[in-house]
Amino acid sequence: MTMRRTPWWQYVIAALAGCLLGVGVAKLSDSLQFDMLGAPVAVSVVMLVMGLVVLALAIQVRTYARTDPKKRTRRLDPERAVNTLILSKALGLAAAFLLGWYGVQLVVALPHGEAPYYASAIRECAIAASVSLIDMIIGIISEWFCQLPPDEGPENPKMKERQRKRRQLVRSGVARRS
C-alpha cells in the first residue's frame, strides 16, 4: 500500500469549506438571533494538546526511520506508523477546516468589538484560529515525519534491478554452457 502526501490544495479546500460553513452559520444565527460565536479556551487547549501528541508520535516514527537498522534497539510496529500518518493527515485537514471556521467568526465579530460579548468572542476566535493554524502546521510536519524509507522488499527498485541482473547472469551462464 502506498500512501501519498496530502496535496496543498486539499488544505485550501478544507479551509474554504470551513469559511463557507462559518458564513452560513453566521447568517443563520443572525436570522434566528442565536449566536454561536467563539470557542471556550478549553477547546483550544485540547486542540493544542492533541496536536502535540500527534507530533510526539510522528517524531518517534521519524527517529525510527532515520536510525540505522543495525543500531535499532526495538522494532516499531508498522500499524502504529500508519496510524500516526493517518492521525497527521486528519489533524492537518481538520485544523484547516477549523481555521476557516474560526477565521470567519473572527471577521464577523470584529465590527461589533465594542460590545463585551463580541469582545470575548473575538478573543476566543483569535485564540482558536491561532491554535488551528498551529495544528495545521503540526499536521503537515507530522505527515512529512511519517515518510518511511523504502524497505528492501520485492517492490524496491534496487531489488528489482538485482533480480534483473541475476536473471541476465543466469541466461548468460546457460548460454555459455551449451
Side-chain angles (χ1 to χ4, degrees):
M1 172 169 69
T2 303
M3 296 284 265
R4 292 186 175 30
R5 300 271 317 266
T6 305
W8 65 269
W9 54 267
Q10 288 183 1
Y11 295 106
V12 173
I13 289 175
L16 288 175
C19 287
L20 289 174
L21 189 61
V23 167
V25 169
K27 290 200 182 284
L28 182 65
S29 66
D30 281 346
S31 66
L32 296 176
Q33 294 181 346
F34 178 74
D35 286 322
M36 293 181 57
L37 290 176
V41 176
V43 171
S44 298
V45 170
V46 169
M47 287 174 24
L48 186 60
V49 168
M50 287 173 43
L52 293 175
V53 167
V54 170
L55 182 62
L57 291 171
I59 288 172
Q60 290 174 2
V61 172
R62 181 177 173 87
T63 302
Y64 177 81
R66 295 231 167 190
T67 305
D68 183 23
K70 296 171 187 164
K71 295 180 182 178
R72 291 180 183 152
T73 56
R74 58 187 168 108
R75 189 172 183 280
L76 179 72
D77 183 19
E79 188 174 323
R80 181 176 175 187
V82 170
N83 287 340
T84 302
L85 175 64
I86 292 168
L87 281 172
S88 300
K89 287 176 173 281
L91 177 70
L93 291 171
F97 178 85
L98 290 173
L99 177 61
W101 173 268
Y102 290 122
V104 163
Q105 286 189 7
L106 181 62
V107 169
V108 167
L110 279 175
H112 311 287
E114 62 277 350
Y117 170 75
Y118 284 102
S120 74
I122 289 170
R123 188 174 46 255
E124 291 170 358
C125 288
I127 292 169
S130 301
V131 169
S132 296
L133 179 64
I134 291 167
D135 273 354
M136 185 177 79
I137 293 168
I138 287 174
I140 292 168
I141 291 171
S142 297
E143 185 178 343
W144 179 62
F145 280 0
C146 288
Q147 286 181 324
L148 297 177
D151 62 351
E152 295 293 322
E155 296 299 316
N156 188 309
K158 291 178 186 176
M159 292 300 286
K160 286 183 178 181
E161 181 64 24
R162 286 182 197 150
Q163 288 174 349
R164 188 185 65 76
K165 286 181 180 179
R166 228 180 260 135
R167 277 187 247 126
Q168 285 178 342
L169 287 174
V170 169
R171 287 183 193 144
S172 65
V174 171
R176 289 183 190 157
R177 289 183 189 165
S178 27

